[in-house]
Amino acid sequence: MVGAASRAAFDAEYETVLQIKARRDRLDRAIEQLAADSEFTPVVRRLGCLRGVSTLTAFALAVEIGDWDRFTGNSIGSFVGLVPSEFSSGQSRVQGPITKTGNGHARRLLVESAWHHRPRYHVGAVMHGRWEQASAAARARGDLGNRRLHDRWVRFIERRKRPTIANVAVARELAGWCWSLAVMND
């Protein structure tokens, strides 16, 4: 008797999971269609030249940041709260954890994307597909950024930095690379 009740509960929950997954997939397709034909399309295509920045991530960053021209490569990191806090007094200067001020959604997207730069860098079929949609200058800039961000990961690993701290540092630099691609003229 317990087996039948457990099976019924499992089937009901499994059906719920399938429905939610189908809804998520529908929403993902709708966002991809918006990203393919909107004012953000050129930025989305250029941002897609970086590893870890899919169409959904690029579109979310483009919408969250909005006007990229109001920033510089250095100031974009502070807008999303990826810069270290600082405690200064006289000649003493101590850096603490990141500020976490600013746009939390953009910060989360950048931190998640930064993990993709840890494995060895090679250009696969997915990246080639994204590069086909971008200009030659954006492809070259994206490739340069991908190489640099992976090299940063390698140096952090060699210095035995904690992976979470290294990832936030890579995410801060990734924000600068995203900015450089977003303000680029096609």
Side-chain angles (χ1 to χ4, degrees):
M1 195 61 120
V2 175
S6 295
R7 183 65 185 177
F10 174 80
D11 289 343
E13 295 304 317
Y14 185 68
E15 183 178 322
T16 302
V17 168
L18 292 178
Q19 288 173 349
I20 291 171
K21 184 178 179 308
R23 179 175 181 253
R24 184 203 62 195
D25 293 343
R26 281 193 311 275
L27 289 171
D28 284 352
R29 284 192 300 275
I31 292 170
E32 286 176 0
Q33 289 173 352
L34 285 171
D37 187 29
S38 73
E39 63 186 272
F40 301 108
T41 302
V43 173
V44 168
R45 289 186 176 158
R46 289 191 301 263
L47 291 178
C49 292
L50 293 169
R51 282 195 335 179
V53 183
S54 67
T55 302
L56 298 177
T57 302
F59 188 67
L61 285 172
V63 170
E64 291 287 334
I65 304 294
D67 181 17
W68 293 81
D69 291 318
R70 61 190 168 143
F71 301 107
T72 65
N74 290 332
S75 67
I76 190 78
S78 60
F79 174 75
V80 294
L82 286 172
V83 294
S85 58
E86 184 174 314
F87 307 96
S88 300
S89 176
Q91 297 296 328
S92 171
R93 179 176 177 247
V94 178
Q95 287 187 322
I98 62 170
T99 60
K100 294 186 182 176
T101 59
N103 193 314
H105 185 227
R107 179 175 55 254
R108 183 184 58 80
L109 292 170
L110 289 165
V111 168
E112 286 180 8
S113 296
W115 286 109
H116 291 266
H117 292 277
R118 189 175 184 179
R120 185 180 62 82
Y121 174 59
H122 72 284
V123 182
V126 172
M127 186 62 69
H128 274 295
R130 287 196 222 147
W131 282 3
E132 303 253 333
Q133 298 177 353
S135 66
R139 285 192 298 266
R141 186 84 180 141
D143 184 56
L144 185 65
N146 290 331
R147 291 179 191 285
R148 169 140 171 103
L149 292 169
H150 173 68
D151 289 344
R152 292 268 297 165
W153 257 112
V154 169
R155 286 196 305 275
F156 283 128
I157 290 169
E158 288 171 351
R159 291 171 41 202
R160 300 187 193 284
K161 286 286 185 184
R162 286 195 335 228
T164 52
I165 293 186
N167 191 58
V168 169
V170 171
R172 182 174 40 253
E173 190 166 336
L174 175 61
W177 284 99
C178 287
W179 171 84
S180 72
L181 284 164
V183 298
M184 179 182 281
N185 292 323
D186 283 330

